[in-house]
């Protein structure tokens, strides 16, 4: 898996404005899917909306058969590719950067919905009325994407959030079988709760495994099953998300952020960000500021 190509939203530049946009909206056709035919990962969310025709979307070990009326959300870091496109394929593709849209919604505020969300949303279907309304919203988002302004970009962000919340609610309400209890589901929920409470102080798999009275190996198995990442990846991603949030929305210095998040020095924060994103906190802050405020 280490050699898999990883597509980055900031490198997907179709027009000049894309350099300062954190979302993309394209028509669903073979040309716009050309990079998706081989297994790869993304650093952003992908939504595929099928209006006509069919395709197969392979996510991790599962094949999702998408047809008219179906919607698929692929989460960052999920390995996936597309195959078997029909000639009459029509629909939309939405790409959006995680931090600017729904990281809080998907990872924290809706924690009771969040177990298995990254797999439940891989293949969903709305009522015909809701699907038609969603298509109209996406058409508006695509119009904003073509001719963005500062105010309209904010409008697009809210529309995408509303669209996602509708998908989450449809999964929760229409498919109760997906929410049946399993032996390890309460453990995963407790791990996520513990992580959100203690990620600043504790960042070892051993700590969380001991708190849950299970082995680190068992914790890794549970997190892989429910969210597609190892326990240490979940810990690091939670820290990284908070770094991004503080760089964007707080007035703290890098030194203050470092100590707030449990790093023993600014250089340790710098090393962590560099190892995960291949850029410094300063470069990341400038990139986020440009994407959000430009």
């Amino acid at each position: 898996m280490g050699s898999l190509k990883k597509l980055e939203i900031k490198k997907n530049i179709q027009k000049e404005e894309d350099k300062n946009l954190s979302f993309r909206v394209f028509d669903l056709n073979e040309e716009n899917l050309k990079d998706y035919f081989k297994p790869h990962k993304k650093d952003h969310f992908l939504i595929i909306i099928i209006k006509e025709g069919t395709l197969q979307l392979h996510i991790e070990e599962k094949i999702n058969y998408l047809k008219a009326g179906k919607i698929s959300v692929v989460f960052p870091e999920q390995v996936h590719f597309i195959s078997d496109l029909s000639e009459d394929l029509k629909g939309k593709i939405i790409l959006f950067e995680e931090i600017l849209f729904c990281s809080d919604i998907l990872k924290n505020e809706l924690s009771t919905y969040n177990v298995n969300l990254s797999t439940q949303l891989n293949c969903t279907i709305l009522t015909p009325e809701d699907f038609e309304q969603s298509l109209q919203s996406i058409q508006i988002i695509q119009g904003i994407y073509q001719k963005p302004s500062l105010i309209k970009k904010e409008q697009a962000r809210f529309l995408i959030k509303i669209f996602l919340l509708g998908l989450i609610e449809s999964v929760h309400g229409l498919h109760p079988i997906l929410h049946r209890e399993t032996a390890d589901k309460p453990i995963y929920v407790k791990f996520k709760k513990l992580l959100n409470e203690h990620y600043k102080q504790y960042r070892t798999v051993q700590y969380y495994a001991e708190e849950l009275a299970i082995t680190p190996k068992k914790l890794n198995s549970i997190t892989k099953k429910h969210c597609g990442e190892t326990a240490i990846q979940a810990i690091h991603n939670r820290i990284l998300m908070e770094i991004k949030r503080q760089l964007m929305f707080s007035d703290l210095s890098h030194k203050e952020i470092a100590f707030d998040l449990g790093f023993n020095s600014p250089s340790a924060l710098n090393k962590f960000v560099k190892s995960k994103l291949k850029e410094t906190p300063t470069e990341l802050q400038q990139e986020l500021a440009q994407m959000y405020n430009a």
Side-chain angles (χ1 to χ4, degrees):
M1 292 294 183
S3 61
L4 280 175
K5 185 176 182 180
K6 186 171 182 177
L7 300 181
E8 300 177 38
I9 194 168
K10 66 181 181 182
K11 293 183 179 178
N12 189 333
I13 304 297
Q14 307 293 328
K15 53 187 174 58
E16 184 64 27
E17 296 95 331
D18 288 352
K19 295 177 181 178
N20 297 320
L21 281 178
S22 49
F23 67 95
R24 315 276 188 269
V25 187
F26 305 120
D27 291 331
L28 184 64
N29 56 46
E30 191 165 353
E31 172 61 24
N32 289 327
L33 293 172
K34 63 180 184 297
D35 293 327
Y36 298 174
F37 294 121
K38 293 183 179 179
H40 65 283
K41 295 181 179 182
K42 291 182 173 65
D43 70 349
H44 52 279
F45 283 86
L46 161 70
I47 303 178
I48 294 177
I49 302 98
I50 308 290
K51 188 176 180 181
E52 295 179 20
T54 61
L55 61 78
Q56 291 184 20
L57 176 59
H58 306 249
I59 305 177
E60 305 294 349
E61 74 285 352
K62 187 178 178 182
I63 301 176
N64 299 279
Y65 298 90
L66 303 186
K67 61 182 181 179
K70 286 195 172 183
I71 300 169
S72 179
V73 181
V74 181
F75 280 56
E77 302 301 325
Q78 286 187 319
V79 179
H80 61 286
F81 68 97
I82 286 172
S83 69
D84 298 283
L85 280 62
S86 66
E87 293 184 0
D88 60 340
L89 186 64
K90 289 184 181 178
K92 299 293 179 184
I93 303 168
I94 302 177
L95 311 176
F96 59 93
E97 207 273 337
E98 184 175 14
I99 182 66
L100 297 184
F101 285 103
C102 63
S103 56
D104 285 344
I105 290 177
L106 296 180
K107 293 187 175 180
N108 299 317
E109 279 80 354
L110 295 179
S111 59
T112 57
Y113 285 68
N114 196 25
V115 175
N116 276 338
L117 196 57
S118 62
T119 54
Q120 291 175 26
L121 292 183
N122 287 164
C123 186
T124 65
I125 188 163
L126 300 176
T127 65
E129 295 80 9
D130 287 343
F131 184 78
E132 195 59 39
Q133 187 174 359
S134 295
L135 283 177
Q136 293 173 11
S137 296
I138 293 161
Q139 201 68 45
I140 294 172
I141 297 167
Q142 188 170 20
I144 293 171
Y145 169 68
Q146 295 298 335
K147 294 183 178 180
S149 68
L150 185 59
I151 298 298
K152 286 185 175 181
K153 283 192 289 185
E154 287 300 317
Q155 183 184 5
R157 293 185 182 106
F158 280 111
L159 287 171
I160 291 177
K161 283 184 178 180
I162 292 167
F163 175 67
L164 277 172
L165 289 169
L167 290 181
I168 293 169
E169 183 62 30
S170 73
V171 169
H172 187 77
L174 298 179
H175 305 286
I177 192 171
L178 295 173
H179 295 268
R180 64 189 176 192
E181 294 299 323
T182 61
D184 55 17
K185 176 179 173 180
I187 299 175
Y188 175 71
V189 172
K190 189 173 181 181
F191 167 66
K192 296 293 283 188
K193 185 174 185 292
L194 283 170
L195 181 57
N196 280 326
E197 292 174 351
H198 302 300
Y199 68 92
K200 292 184 181 181
Q201 295 82 27
Y202 303 104
R203 53 187 66 182
T204 66
V205 177
Q206 186 69 36
Y207 168 80
Y208 293 100
E210 288 177 356
E211 288 294 306
L212 296 166
I214 59 177
T215 65
K217 182 177 180 181
K218 179 64 175 177
L219 179 55
N220 273 321
S221 173
I222 290 171
T223 59
K224 284 287 285 184
K225 175 181 177 181
H226 287 290
C227 65
E229 59 188 9
T230 64
I232 195 64
Q233 286 173 331
I235 294 166
H236 287 173
N237 286 337
R238 183 65 186 89
I239 297 166
L240 194 59
M241 192 58 59
E242 187 61 25
I243 291 171
K244 288 182 176 182
R245 185 178 295 111
Q246 293 201 22
L247 287 173
M248 282 185 64
F249 301 118
S250 79
D251 295 323
L252 299 177
S253 67
H254 292 183
K255 181 179 180 180
E256 290 170 324
I257 292 174
F259 290 129
D260 179 62
L261 297 182
F263 294 94
N264 56 22
S265 67
S267 63
L269 172 68
N270 188 87
K271 184 177 180 181
F272 178 80
V273 173
K274 191 83 172 177
S275 68
K276 300 300 176 186
L277 300 177
K278 308 296 187 263
E279 56 188 347
T280 67
T282 298
E283 291 168 339
L284 175 61
Q285 189 170 32
Q286 291 171 346
E287 178 184 316
L288 291 171
Q290 185 180 45
M291 290 180 73
Y292 195 76
N293 298 319

